Amino acid sequence: MPDRYAVIGHPIAHSQSPLIHSLFAQAAGQDMTYEAIDGGADPDGFERAVAAFRAAGGRGMNVTLPFKLAALAASTQASADARLAGAANALRFLADGRIEAQNFDGVGLVRDITHNLGVPLTGRRVLLLGAGGATRGALLPLARAGAAHIAIANRTAAKAQALAQELAPHLPMGCALHGSGLDALHEQPEFDVVINATSASLSGQAPAVPPSAYAAQALAYDMVYGKGLTPFLRAAQAAGATRVADGVGMLVEQAAEAFAWWRGVRPDTGAVLARLTVPLV
Ligand code: ATR
């Protein structure tokens, strides 16, 4: 019997995870299946679906919206990244009943920036736009990757300030953290990497970032994927950012982290990334 894995979310029909993990399994010669499970809209749906999947022999799950918080709550042990993010995107079910939780979104982002895009983070100034779950999940991995200064800028300044205050004590020494409104960005020195972690691109909008935020040779990174040049990326190019990327690499790299955690083998991501990449035009 192959080992069973799944992704759970609501809705789930458009998830790329079954495709990504079946390509990884094929390439790595792993005897496993990977399915998509709709956890439904009912508040107890998630826990019921997880219990049923475990009872049927399931070994692990990826978790997507809106269940990332519930996944952390359902776990018996959680990684530091999951705890600080306040959310989990991968679960591992142990034979003794324990449930381990991880959040690989941030490490996937860092791996995409440093490895796939070849942009070093050590000593860099990084701007994170937004103060929701996506920003929360990215902070610690960016700091661990050696960023010297991370600024969180949000439409609602108080949320960015509160998040910076909450998470600053958890960052490694040598990484400064600052929270502000988007409207205070013009007072700050330029950034080497600007990451859009807001949900603005999903509604065809862009956070208001002044052109002065972009250093020469800056990388502009939008966490959404498959939407081509988003208004944020377009504005970044107009402001002089020489490199732009969407979040397809983050998606594939976080999947590779989960796969390695479950199977003990890190799959090669190049072919899957090439298959899922939508040109940025
Ligand atoms: P997630 O968990 O995916 O990060 P969230 O918690 O709903 O989602 O947060 C969405 C983020 O996108 C917030 O930081 C939000 O800004 P506010 O806190 O001011 O609401 C930001 N956001 C959404 N639409 C935006 C837009 N059009 N311009 C700027 N920021 C936007």
Side-chain angles (χ1 to χ4, degrees):
M1 279 276 282
D3 293 333
R4 283 180 71 183
Y5 296 87
V7 59
I8 184 166
H10 178 71
I12 200 62
H14 298 295
S15 171
Q16 300 279 14
S17 294
L19 172 66
I20 294 172
H21 282 279
S22 51
L23 291 170
F24 285 165
Q26 222 169 23
Q30 295 287 306
D31 188 21
M32 57 183 274
T33 61
Y34 190 102
E35 62 208 86
I37 296 176
D38 193 323
D42 149 12
D44 300 331
F46 171 76
E47 291 208 4
R48 271 206 311 273
V50 170
F53 188 66
R54 287 176 67 201
R59 302 283 291 269
M61 273 179 158
N62 280 127
V63 181
T64 187
L65 299 177
F67 301 126
K68 291 185 177 190
L69 276 66
L72 180 66
S75 68
T76 54
Q77 280 149 287
S79 68
D81 283 1
R83 279 185 275 114
L84 281 193
N89 82 337
L91 297 174
R92 189 162 68 176
F93 307 128
L94 304 187
D96 62 9
R98 282 179 296 157
I99 301 178
E100 296 176 318
Q102 284 273 7
N103 190 318
F104 292 122
D105 286 332
V107 287
L109 169 73
V110 164
R111 172 120 180 144
D112 191 36
I113 292 175
T114 57
H115 189 81
N116 298 337
L117 301 169
V119 174
L121 287 166
T122 314
R124 298 300 174 98
R125 286 177 54 81
V126 178
L127 172 58
L128 265 172
L129 303 166
T135 289
R136 194 177 258 281
L139 262 176
L140 184 60
L142 285 168
R144 265 201 320 256
H149 184 103
I150 302 177
I152 305 171
N154 194 43
R155 183 173 59 183
T156 313
K159 272 168 71 179
Q161 287 155 350
L163 189 58
Q165 203 164 22
E166 180 194 337
L167 294 186
H170 301 280
L171 297 197
M173 296 260 289
C175 180
L177 183 61
H178 179 78
S180 76
L182 290 167
D183 52 3
L185 280 174
H186 66 274
E187 299 159 7
Q188 298 179 32
E190 60 196 22
F191 294 92
D192 306 297
V193 177
V194 179
I195 301 166
N196 184 16
T198 73
S199 49
S201 299
L202 298 174
S203 51
Q205 296 178 311
V209 180
S212 61
Y214 293 93
Q217 317 280 317
L219 166 70
Y221 192 104
D222 201 329
M223 284 193 186
V224 304
Y225 58 88
K227 293 194 172 291
L229 265 188
T230 59
F232 161 72
L233 292 176
R234 252 179 233 289
Q237 278 184 332
T242 49
R243 306 208 48 190
V244 293
D246 73 358
V248 68
M250 176 179 175
L251 172 75
V252 174
E253 294 298 337
Q254 66 75 31
E257 295 293 325
F259 190 93
W261 186 52
W262 292 327
R263 308 300 299 175
V265 188
R266 197 178 200 284
D268 179 39
T269 51
V272 178
L273 192 49
R275 177 147 170 189
L276 292 185
T277 295
V278 174
L280 292 180
V281 285

